Amino acid sequence: MPNTQKASSKTPKDSLQAAKEKASPESSRGEQLQELEAALKALANENQFFETLIRGLPGIFYCFNDKLQVLRWNRNVETVTGYTEEEVGSISLLTLFKGGDKSLIRKSIKDVFVNGEGLAESTIVTKDGKKIPYMFTGVSTRINGAPYLMGMGLDISARKAAERSLRESEALYRLLGERITEGVVLAHRNRFLFANEAAASMFGYTREEFLAKTPESMAAEPFRPYFLELYEALESGAAEERTFQARCLHKMGNELWVEGKANFITWKGRPSLLLTARDITETKLRELSMQEEAENLRRENVNLRSSMRDRYRFGNIIGKSTAMQEVYELILNAAAGEANVIIYGESGTGKELAARAIHKMSKRADQPFVPVNCAAIPANLLESEFFGSRKGAFTGAHSNKEGFLDLANGGTLFLDEVGELDIMLQVKLLRAIEGGGYTPVGGNAVKFSDFRIIAATNRNLLEQARAGKMREDFFFRIHIIPINLPPLRQRRDDIPLLAEHFLKVYSGGQGQAVLPGKVLDALVAYDWPGNVRELQNVIQRYLTVNRLDFISPEPVQAKAPLSEAMENGADLRGATENVEKALIKKALDQHRGHKSRTAESLGISRKTLFRKMKRLGLS
């Protein structure tokens, strides 16, 4: 800074000097005194102004010479440093600094004397050792030809503390931003301002590549308006925070799902979005797949159930009777889950057909269906047939052989006549069912198979378990969803349908044969101990030899209730009760004891049915 004394300005000192010069013998004594008094008064006023200014400065004011002796200061110097007025005048300026700060101040003072002005930040050490951050400014001047430095210092403790806090906060947030596993992004309108490594790598980019992209370009097409709406909602104050799920684009071109939160903040005076996000692609795809599967099952279930009353065929199973409609319902429920199923039914009722229907409608439909007739396997081969064998395990084992469990991996193992299984095999099979694995014959490595069991039997397995012929733990493991297939004599309404089906199958493409009325009546009247399989054989023989051949010599003719009542010699009241009892009993048999359906078929209320059953001894 240049010398503060300017030639163009006339100071009170100039006036005083001029007054002295004008004091000549020729001038009057009174004029000289007046001019001198005016100059002294102006000088006093100037000194008073500067004294007031110096005292009012917010920091410390000082003036020292080139030997660093403090010549002038304000009271703030004493207040800040702790040195008294006498001590300040006797110490060097450098006394207030220690170590590197002392060298810094010495260099700065030298720069001021050379360049005319200077600025430095340093730390004052007070008399009692306290350290205070200060900013010093100074300018050089010359008084009576000698160099002097006038300066001022301001306490910057608060500013330094704020800067330190800001640096610490910035370091902390940067550390959190880099170490946090979630992606963190700061965006303004359609431009990224910040992104951590987790956010960039989530999309397959480096951080520099990611920051060069635009938020709009990262979202899949259907979700771009969604982000614009989200920004506008936060900016307008309609929401303080928004959670979101969106489909986005990866660098490699594939899509990914992200989930996170968006907050509206002000960053460097600009409205911005702070987003945290994480990759949920795997979870979302699994969720969408489950939703799609559930929706497909729901639609299929609705379609099946809506047409259930009119359904004459379910897969390869034929029947429209109430009993079969209930079976169809159970098959649907069993196919929707993974629980093991046991199918009860007499020989020839179609247990394997029901098992295949469950398999085809389950999620294992694309995997193997492995049927096993447990009664047809010799006892000495049971283990090797189920669990497989290794080469050389026994005589004739020339190569490794896969067992039923190997073949059924991922699919369904159908155990027909499961009641014939050996007790010891049940133990090993139970272990495999419960996930403990199995060991092939002749091997030592444990193998595992993911299979579902559907078992079938014409026996009472509970009685076998109680009698010790079947392990109870094995029984309860396979007896989760029981399905009872009614014998053909309990669903006579289905016989015409079945007969028509078999006629079509065995007509040999020569036009479907038609059964005479008396033949069809005989088929309906027969009790069918061999069930549907026997009916199939009877129809095939009929088409071949043109006559009906039953297992029993004569078909059982169903008698009308009224004829039976008349034969018993009952009076009118007794005959009426006999007819009523026979009708109710027949309806109960047809509806398998279901009271509401029985009452509905008879055209009476459920309450009336119970009253009549009690009166007729049927309850």
Side-chain angles (χ1 to χ4, degrees), residues 305-320:
R305 291 176 191 273
S306 64
S307 60
M308 192 66 72
R309 292 185 179 275
D310 300 324
R311 183 170 290 279
Y312 287 69
R313 187 175 189 136
F314 193 88
N316 291 326
I317 307 172
I318 296 173
K320 67 172 183 177

Side-chain angles (χ1 to χ4, degrees), residues 362-380:
S362 73
K363 67 178 184 180
R364 297 175 179 265
D366 295 333
Q367 301 300 321
F369 177 87
V370 180
V372 179
N373 189 336
C374 300
I377 305 173
N380 61 328

Side-chain angles (χ1 to χ4, degrees), residues 384-390 400-404 406-407 447:
S384 63
E385 289 295 314
F386 273 91
F387 306 128
S389 59
R390 290 292 171 263
N400 293 339
K401 177 185 175 183
E402 290 188 327
F404 295 136
D406 298 313
L407 299 175
K447 300 180 70 176

Side-chain angles (χ1 to χ4, degrees), residues 295-312:
E295 180 61 22
N296 289 337
L297 286 174
R298 188 194 67 79
R299 285 197 299 265
E300 185 175 350
N301 202 15
V302 168
N303 292 336
L304 288 170
R305 291 176 191 273
S306 64
S307 60
M308 192 66 72
R309 292 185 179 275
D310 300 324
R311 183 170 290 279
Y312 287 69

Side-chain angles (χ1 to χ4, degrees), residues 84-99:
T84 65
E85 181 179 353
E86 292 76 13
E87 291 171 328
V88 171
S90 63
I91 65 174
S92 167
L93 179 66
L94 295 180
T95 304
L96 301 176
F97 304 95
K98 301 293 184 183

Side-chain angles (χ1 to χ4, degrees), residues 344-503:
Y344 291 99
E346 296 178 5
S347 178
T349 51
K351 295 186 289 295
E352 184 170 343
L353 289 180
R356 288 185 181 275
I358 295 172
H359 173 77
K360 287 182 180 179
M361 295 184 64
S362 73
K363 67 178 184 180
R364 297 175 179 265
D366 295 333
Q367 301 300 321
F369 177 87
V370 180
V372 179
N373 189 336
C374 300
I377 305 173
N380 61 328
L381 295 180
L382 276 173
E383 192 169 345
S384 63
E385 289 295 314
F386 273 91
F387 306 128
S389 59
R390 290 292 171 263
K391 181 179 179 180
F394 48 83
T395 303
H398 301 299
S399 61
N400 293 339
K401 177 185 175 183
E402 290 188 327
F404 295 136
L405 270 61
D406 298 313
L407 299 175
N409 187 27
T412 301
L413 181 65
F414 174 57
L415 301 179
D416 195 11
E417 303 301 338
V418 68
E420 303 293 336
L421 276 180
D422 179 73
I423 290 286
M424 292 308 297
L425 185 67
Q426 292 177 23
V427 176
K428 296 183 179 182
L429 191 57
L430 179 64
R431 177 178 174 82
I433 294 172
E434 294 179 340
Y438 58 95
T439 305
V441 176
N444 51 23
V446 177
K447 300 180 70 176
F448 297 89
S449 177
D450 171 28
F451 60 92
R452 179 191 192 182
I453 283 186
I454 300 178
T457 184
N458 58 6
R459 297 187 178 188
N460 188 324
L461 295 186
L462 181 59
E463 288 183 0
Q464 282 194 260
R466 290 171 177 169
K469 297 180 180 179
M470 172 173 280
R471 291 182 59 94
E472 286 193 1
D473 50 2
F474 181 74
F475 167 77
F476 287 114
R477 198 67 180 84
I478 64 173
H479 196 279
I480 298 178
I481 301 179
I483 297 177
N484 290 284
L485 296 183
L488 192 54
R489 61 183 173 275
Q490 291 182 6
R491 56 183 188 112
R492 297 181 186 274
D493 293 349
D494 295 332
I495 292 176
L497 290 173
L498 289 165
E500 182 181 2
H501 169 71
F502 292 131
L503 285 172

